[in-house]
Amino acid sequence: MLAVLAITWLFNTFALYVATWLLPGLGYGADWWVPLVAGLVFTLANSFLKPVLAILSIPFIIVTLGIFYFLINVLMLYLTHWIVPQFTLDSFWWAALAAVIISVVNGILHAAVGRPGELAAR
């Protein structure tokens, strides 16, 4: 479990870095440790809080044809911003675009390297 979280943390940290590099509405300041901490908070929120929120909001996800699940992804970014204030989000739309970029980067990493559970089992 710890190895899976560590690999997921690396993937999410890289994805957050790519999103902040591509989008001017995201930032982490000049401190080198902020992306690492933001990646850790984002990983922990996605691993433990997001599944609970997804289960509780199944009716909303069904009614909105999955759009509400996307809003949960944006909420995880806002939670990361709230816990790590040096990780900045300028607006909801920058956060929404960042959620898309993070999902795409994570998808590419999973396709190229493998799923974190598979990597930890090796």
Side-chain angles (χ1 to χ4, degrees):
M1 174 73 178
L2 199 56
V4 173
L5 276 175
I7 294 167
T8 305
W9 175 38
L10 290 175
F11 283 6
N12 282 332
T13 300
F14 182 72
L16 282 171
Y17 176 77
V18 169
T20 56
W21 180 66
L22 290 174
L23 302 175
L26 271 73
Y28 53 83
D31 296 326
W32 63 270
W33 54 268
V34 173
L36 296 174
V37 174
L40 180 63
V41 170
F42 187 69
T43 299
L44 293 175
N46 277 335
S47 297
F48 299 109
L49 185 60
K50 186 177 174 183
V52 173
L53 289 175
I55 289 172
L56 292 175
S57 61
I58 285 175
F60 299 111
I61 293 170
I62 292 171
V63 168
T64 62
L65 302 174
I67 295 173
F68 198 79
Y69 191 72
F70 174 73
L71 292 176
I72 293 174
N73 288 334
V74 174
L75 178 67
M76 295 300 106
L77 279 171
Y78 270 106
L79 180 66
T80 302
H81 165 68
W82 183 64
I83 294 173
V84 185
Q86 294 88 353
F87 176 71
T88 58
L89 295 170
D90 286 348
S91 70
F92 170 80
W93 297 110
W94 286 119
L97 193 53
V100 171
I101 291 172
I102 290 167
S103 295
V104 169
V105 170
N106 271 321
I108 291 170
L109 286 172
H110 289 149
V113 180
R115 296 264 176 216
E118 298 167 357
L119 292 172
R122 292 183 190 170

